[in-house]
């Protein structure tokens, strides 16, 4: 019995050669993807733990009313912060109206900051409210 070489067409040979040539790159990509997936799972787990801890801590907050000096300092700080927020938001909106690139980042950051300022003011308004015993 004689052994003759296996006859392979050009397309199959080209596909085999391409597979052999890219084997190392595919293995590296697979390793990077696995590492990224593992890191993503760890970050998700850490975020879940942080959210759970934050909600537990928020439930145990017992705010006390501020004295007049502390309230004045806090309101002055919030006023200066609001001026800074208004400045950044004004720049962002003016650039957005001129259709400049990357101006939505300013507008989004300003909107987020305004929301946080309103949240802080709402906390100040309801900080002295007494809780009912359950």
């Amino acid at each position: 019995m004689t052994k003759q070489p296996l006859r392979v067409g050009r397309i199959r040979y080209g596909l085999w050669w391409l597979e052999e040539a890219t084997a190392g790159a595919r293995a590296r990509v697979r390793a990077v993807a696995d590492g990224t997936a593992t890191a993503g799972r760890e970050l998700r787990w850490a975020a879940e733990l942080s959210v759970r801890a934050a909600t537990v801590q928020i439930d145990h907050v017992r705010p006390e009313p501020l004295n007049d000096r502390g309230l004045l300092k806090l309101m002055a700080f919030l006023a200066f912060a609001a001026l800074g927020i208004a400045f950044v938001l004004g720049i962002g909106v003016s650039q957005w109206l001129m259709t400049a690139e990357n101006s939505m980042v300013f507008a989004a950051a300003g909107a987020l900051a305004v929301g946080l300022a309103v949240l802080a003011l709402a906390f100040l308004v309801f900080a002295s409210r007494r809780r009912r015993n359950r």
Side-chain angles (χ1 to χ4, degrees):
M1 180 186 245
T2 62
K3 289 195 172 189
Q4 294 183 353
L6 190 62
R7 292 187 183 248
V8 179
R10 289 181 187 170
I11 293 175
R12 285 193 184 205
Y13 178 75
L15 290 174
W16 173 83
W17 179 83
L18 183 64
E19 184 178 340
E20 290 296 318
T22 61
R26 285 185 289 128
R28 284 189 294 273
V29 167
R30 192 173 299 120
V32 168
D34 290 343
T36 304
T38 302
R41 284 192 297 271
E42 291 291 329
L43 287 174
R44 189 189 76 193
W45 178 70
E48 285 179 12
L49 286 180
S50 298
V51 167
R52 287 180 189 171
T55 55
V56 167
Q57 289 176 354
I58 287 172
D59 286 341
H60 295 298
V61 169
R62 301 276 185 215
E64 296 178 6
L66 295 172
N67 59 11
D68 290 340
R69 180 171 290 174
L71 190 60
L72 178 65
K73 287 180 182 177
L74 185 59
M75 292 303 289
F77 173 76
L78 285 176
F80 284 120
L83 282 174
I85 291 168
F87 180 72
V88 170
L89 189 58
I91 289 173
V93 169
S94 68
Q95 288 183 2
W96 179 49
L97 289 175
M98 293 187 319
T99 63
E101 292 182 17
N102 299 327
S103 59
M104 284 305 292
V105 174
F106 287 111
L112 181 64
V114 167
L116 290 175
V118 168
L119 183 65
L121 288 174
F123 180 77
L124 279 178
V125 168
F126 295 108
S128 61
R129 186 176 177 187
R130 297 178 191 257
R131 291 184 180 218
R132 295 182 190 177
N133 292 334
R134 292 181 185 183

